[in-house]
Amino acid sequence: MLIFIEPESEKPIYQQIRDQIVEGIARGELLPGTGLPSIRQLAADFGINLHTVNKAYELLERQGFLQVRRKTGAVVQPSGRLAEDWEARLSTLLAEALAQGLPAEEIVGRCQRVLAALTDRERPSGSCAQQAGERGEKPDKP
Amino acid sequence: MLIFIEPESEKPIYQQIRDQIVEGIARGELLPGTGLPSIRQLAADFGINLHTVNKAYELLERQGFLQVRRKTGAVVQPSGRLAEDWEARLSTLLAEALAQGLPAEEIVGRCQRVLAALTDRERPSGSCAQQAGERGEKPDKP
DNA sequence: TATTTGCTATATAATTGATATAACAAATAG
DNA sequence: CTATTTGTTATATCAATTATATAGCAAATA
């Protein structure tokens, strides 16, 4: 499971981390019970601040994707509960396509394709987090 | 076509305006060629600043939903072009449902229901913008 | 010509995103 | 038990974003 950070993106870093972990769970690369790297570890790998990763984990816990414990770290544990505003967000997104003239069937087709791409098993999980910056940072901490 | 502003929402006001206009277009309440209220008019109706409405209109124009002219004001004119990152955003949203254990067919069903709700004609458009604040503000401008 | 309108330019204040230190508390490893 | 790792909390700083407040300019219209 690789995570790529784009520091120049308009999407906040903590949101990028959240989204990619959610996708990892959806893909089945992060199964329930899987342990995630520690906050400090991820922050070091990405070369970003501890609090940025913490914010992502905190968000994922509040939204019911993880459970965070003391020494154990974050563990994948979906609650089975969809966010209350999920359908509202879906409506906004689908409306965007309708407004641009895409037929409803075409939109449904795209949803099915995206879902198929996510549920398409074939992918043996590698289970490591990876830096996305183009410059090779020296791994300190001797 | 009514627009409701929730000043306390975590979603920025200009984004609320954008989303609701996009939904209005999707619903067919705002047909191509329809003129929208002037920036100053909408701002006065909502009791918000001119620039906030301007930002929403500017965004809608950049994303290909409106064309804005001098004295004519904003006119609904979808470009037919979906945003490049639309599928990526869809993937993130659908992944959220998959990660919480919803079966793919259930998700597709929800997409179809949301689309049906949007394309369900029945709704004669009223064509006016409306304040959402619960307190009746005095309409100044003497 | 006078008004309306979009547009631009500042300026200010509150909030958010990200970083930087520092310290505390709980769980684990030795 | 001791030392380390880990999540957590508390500050502080800086930049960008969100929203507001004025002000003025230019184009289109009546």
Side-chain angles (χ1 to χ4, degrees):
Chain A
M1 164 82 192
L2 294 183
I3 295 182
F4 289 94
I5 299 299
E6 293 183 80
E8 300 307 319
S9 168
E10 54 182 324
K11 184 190 287 187
I13 296 177
Y14 76 93
Q15 189 76 41
Q16 295 182 40
I17 297 174
R18 188 220 87 122
D19 289 349
Q20 292 185 47
I21 289 180
V22 170
E23 278 214 11
I25 299 175
R27 287 207 156 86
E29 298 175 13
L30 295 175
L31 297 172
T34 307
L36 294 179
S38 75
I39 288 174
R40 285 175 173 86
Q41 185 62 54
L42 257 198
D45 289 348
F46 293 145
I48 62 178
N49 193 270
L50 170 160
H51 290 97
T52 306
V53 180
N54 187 47
K55 193 167 183 176
Y57 276 23
E58 191 186 351
L59 192 58
L60 285 161
E61 186 175 37
R62 247 193 307 131
Q63 296 175 338
F65 294 104
L66 305 180
Q67 279 194 0
V68 185
R69 274 183 255 274
R70 273 288 161 180
K71 186 77 174 182
T72 324
V75 175
V76 174
Q77 201 57 253
S79 66
R81 302 188 166 282
L82 258 188
E84 308 151 17
D85 63 341
W86 187 83
E87 285 216 355
R89 282 182 282 142
L90 179 65
S91 182
T92 299
L93 189 60
L94 297 187
E96 195 174 321
L98 281 178
Q100 292 295 7
L102 261 79
E105 316 92 50
E106 164 74 14
I107 298 174
V108 173
R110 294 212 189 191
C111 292
Q112 288 172 325
R113 271 190 40 232
V114 167
L115 283 169
L118 285 170
T119 55
D120 195 7
R121 272 324 157 283
E122 212 79 39
R123 227 172 302 276
S125 72
S127 168
C128 56
Q130 193 73 5
Q131 164 79 295
E134 50 283 0
R135 12 185 70 258
E137 302 290 337
K138 60 182 189 309
D140 33 30
K141 277 283 172 51
Chain B
M1 164 82 190
L2 294 183
I3 295 183
F4 289 94
I5 299 300
E6 293 183 82
E8 300 307 319
S9 167
E10 55 181 324
K11 185 190 286 188
I13 297 178
Y14 77 93
Q15 189 75 40
Q16 294 182 41
I17 297 175
R18 188 219 88 123
D19 289 350
Q20 292 185 47
I21 289 180
V22 169
E23 279 214 10
I25 299 175
R27 287 207 157 84
E29 297 175 12
L30 295 175
L31 297 173
T34 306
L36 293 178
S38 75
I39 289 175
R40 286 175 173 86
Q41 185 61 53
L42 257 196
D45 290 349
F46 293 144
I48 61 178
N49 192 271
L50 170 159
H51 290 99
T52 306
V53 180
N54 186 48
K55 193 166 184 179
Y57 277 22
E58 191 186 351
L59 192 58
L60 284 161
E61 186 176 36
R62 245 193 308 132
Q63 297 176 336
F65 295 103
L66 304 180
Q67 279 194 359
V68 185
R69 273 183 255 274
R70 273 287 162 182
K71 185 78 173 183
T72 324
V75 175
V76 176
Q77 200 59 252
S79 67
R81 300 190 168 279
L82 258 188
E84 307 151 16
D85 63 341
W86 187 84
E87 285 216 356
R89 282 182 284 141
L90 178 65
S91 182
T92 299
L93 189 60
L94 297 186
E96 194 174 322
L98 280 178
Q100 291 297 6
L102 260 79
E105 316 92 49
E106 164 74 13
I107 298 173
V108 173
R110 294 212 188 192
C111 291
Q112 288 172 324
R113 272 190 40 234
V114 167
L115 283 170
L118 286 170
T119 54
D120 196 9
R121 276 318 162 286
E122 213 79 39
R123 228 172 299 277
S125 73
S127 169
C128 55
Q130 193 73 5
Q131 165 78 295
E134 52 281 0
R135 11 186 69 257
E137 301 291 336
K138 59 183 190 308
D140 32 31
K141 277 279 175 57

